[in-house]
Amino acid sequence: MSDVVVLTQEGPEGIRYDFVDGCRVWVPEGGNWRIRLRDRVADTVVYQHDFTSTGMVQSSKRYYIPFEIKVWKDDKLVFTHNCDLKERDVLITMHLGGLGDQLAWIGHAAAFAQHHQCRLTCCMQEALIPLFEKTYPDIHFVSNVDDDAMKRYYAHYRVLVFFEDKEHNFQPIDYRQSGLIHMGADTLGLPYAERRPRITIDPGGRPIKERYVCIGSQASGLSKYWNNPVGWYQVVRFLKEHGYRVICIDRSRIGGTETALRMIPHGVEDETGDRPLSERARWLKHADFFVGLSSGLSWLAWAVETPVVMISGYTQPYNEFYTPYRIINRHVCNSCGNDVTQRLHPEDPLFCPYHKGTDRIFECTRAISAQHVTSVIETIPGFGVQRDD
């Protein structure tokens, strides 16, 4: 039957098994079978079933669990196997996430491979692979995995955002509770830690001689934008008055929707465009600091260890990496992006679960003032200090 070929490991008595999207076990015709799956760390039997003929079981939990498999045939124990990833081929898929998601997750994947000493393949967006393939030479990066390729993997885990995982089958903790920075650790059974990724940076040093600041004003949804209509203008003017060149490195000069277009801020130097991320990393690496949103460029700045001023009322600060320059206004509605009672609707450009259609829409960022942002910028060590060179 077709189930036989998709289970990648072979046991005795014709038993097939693997840990691809959970713990899976198949038994053939020719006996009375009992299959038991146990979480070895929790010391808990999570599944047991008897078969009078052929059949397959698959655990409902698909994140990393140190499973033990036991199979009896005609009341005789014929197979015991503990999940052990050492020197095994393991696949982690994270291809549906954006730039920020995959920068948040790849460090956890690398730590997982090191901890288990497995041969890891990571499936991610093709455009992001050049950021990591040289800095993680022991990880094999791919942009897709076909059915034939899947036959080689002993285990497969999905580090993705699951919006409707009410039973916590794909992630042990709701992603809105753990935050983007930690959800990869949850899925892969690692202790919480910020695992900053190693990325490839274009060579050549500083792209310009003068002191400069990079900004990113575009985001994946209007709820993530800084919706104060004069905020960016005032901050850009403030930075220029303090001797900085202000470089916008967004991919697009115009973002948002047809009914709510967002231009890059007036007065910036336009370095927008669909350029290699390693080139963006070079601009960020040599900037004095970065001012941005809860979006991919902020994560890229974090990866190259550039100070990040993050303007976000949409998410809780724990959702992203720690920065002492995080800006949120608690006096208005905020943090719906981490509210477990609300489902994100990325297809809705005007997503604002509490105030859509009212004059309070996006008040979480409209109420963040330029003065709030500039007062935080002034706390960055070395701000405004002129260099001798």
Side-chain angles (χ1 to χ4, degrees):
M1 61 184 294
S2 60
D3 287 336
V4 177
V5 299
V6 298
L7 301 185
T8 65
Q9 309 300 307
E10 183 177 359
E13 304 284 345
I15 297 167
R16 307 287 300 191
Y17 69 98
D18 61 29
F19 302 92
V20 174
D21 292 321
C23 180
R24 308 190 299 179
V25 184
W26 178 87
V27 292
E29 299 278 3
N32 294 312
W33 303 92
R34 175 177 299 150
I35 300 174
R36 177 184 296 170
L37 310 181
R38 183 175 73 94
D39 180 334
R40 302 196 316 272
V41 170
D43 191 22
T44 300
V45 174
V46 297
Y47 186 87
Q48 181 169 302
H49 191 73
D50 294 337
F51 292 89
T52 57
S53 61
T54 183
M56 188 183 89
V57 301
Q58 181 176 19
S59 65
S60 59
K61 304 299 185 185
R62 308 298 172 85
Y63 51 85
Y64 172 75
I65 291 174
F67 279 110
E68 173 196 71
I69 299 170
K70 285 192 173 183
V71 181
W72 290 262
K73 181 180 181 182
D74 299 327
D75 292 324
K76 178 183 178 182
L77 181 64
V78 296
F79 180 54
T80 299
H81 180 80
N82 290 332
C83 178
D84 184 358
L85 306 181
K86 185 175 182 179
E87 298 182 358
R88 298 279 194 169
D89 290 307
V90 177
L91 174 66
I92 294 176
T93 57
M94 55 180 72
H95 62 294
L96 298 182
L99 172 60
D101 302 60
Q102 291 173 71
L103 286 167
W105 300 335
I106 186 61
H108 299 303
F112 180 83
Q114 183 177 26
H115 175 72
H116 291 285
Q117 300 178 49
C118 61
R119 296 186 295 270
L120 180 62
T121 297
C122 275
C123 181
M124 61 170 46
Q125 291 183 20
E126 186 172 5
L128 304 187
I129 292 176
L131 274 182
F132 307 116
E133 57 187 352
K134 292 181 180 179
T135 55
Y136 294 102
D138 295 331
I139 299 177
H140 178 53
F141 292 95
V142 297
S143 58
N144 62 76
V145 182
D146 60 25
D147 290 342
D148 285 339
M150 283 301 303
K151 295 176 182 178
R152 63 180 284 201
Y153 295 111
Y154 174 82
H156 174 212
Y157 306 102
R158 300 177 188 269
V159 181
L160 300 168
V161 173
F162 293 95
F163 293 112
E164 298 293 345
D165 187 23
K166 296 179 180 179
E167 300 299 320
H168 301 296
N169 288 328
F170 292 90
Q171 51 201 5
I173 301 175
D174 191 296
Y175 76 95
R176 292 161 294 192
Q177 290 179 293
S178 62
L180 188 62
I181 189 67
H182 292 309
M183 59 164 288
D186 281 329
T187 302
L188 298 175
L190 298 171
Y192 276 7
E194 288 192 6
R195 295 181 170 93
R196 194 190 308 267
R198 303 190 302 267
I199 66 171
T200 296
I201 302 173
D202 276 2
R206 295 181 64 85
I208 56 177
K209 180 180 178 181
E210 298 82 8
R211 297 190 76 176
Y212 69 93
V213 173
C214 286
I215 71 164
S217 64
Q218 309 284 12
S220 58
L222 289 173
S223 56
K224 293 184 177 182
Y225 278 74
W226 186 15
N227 289 292
N228 181 329
V230 297
W232 278 116
Y233 170 76
Q234 293 177 347
V235 167
V236 170
R237 185 177 64 181
F238 167 82
L239 292 171
K240 293 169 75 173
E241 288 173 350
H242 283 79
Y244 292 96
R245 292 175 64 176
V246 183
I247 314 298
C248 183
I249 60 170
D250 283 311
R251 182 169 61 181
S252 302
R253 294 185 70 253
I254 303 174
T257 70
E258 291 183 0
T259 56
L261 294 177
R262 297 289 190 271
M263 298 285 293
I264 62 172
H266 175 75
V268 299
E269 297 183 46
D270 185 354
E271 289 289 341
T272 61
D274 191 6
R275 306 184 190 179
L277 290 168
S278 57
E279 185 257 9
R280 295 314 197 189
R282 179 190 175 200
W283 275 98
L284 289 165
K285 179 65 177 177
H286 300 283
D288 276 36
F289 52 92
F290 173 76
V291 185
L293 313 170
S294 176
S295 61
L297 286 176
S298 289
W299 287 90
L300 192 62
W302 166 70
V304 300
E305 300 186 74
T306 293
V308 177
V309 179
M310 186 184 296
I311 305 166
S312 178
Y314 172 68
T315 56
Q316 289 279 10
Y318 70 74
N319 186 72
E320 293 88 16
F321 54 87
Y322 170 73
T323 170
Y325 315 114
R326 174 58 186 261
I327 297 167
I328 187 170
N329 187 343
R330 296 295 192 184
H331 299 291
V332 294
C333 183
N334 65 85
S335 305
C336 64
N338 292 102
D339 185 342
V340 297
T341 69
Q342 299 298 324
R343 184 197 185 281
L344 172 64
H345 291 279
E347 74 285 355
D348 179 5
L350 298 177
F351 175 71
C352 182
Y354 303 123
H355 306 302
K356 181 179 178 179
T358 76
D359 59 3
R360 294 183 63 189
I361 189 170
F362 302 142
E363 72 175 18
C364 61
T365 56
R366 284 193 297 109
I368 293 175
S369 70
Q371 182 179 354
H372 188 174
V373 176
T374 58
S375 67
V376 171
I377 290 174
E378 288 176 321
T379 69
I380 299 174
F383 172 74
V385 177
Q386 296 301 312
R387 299 182 308 176
D388 292 336
D389 59 351

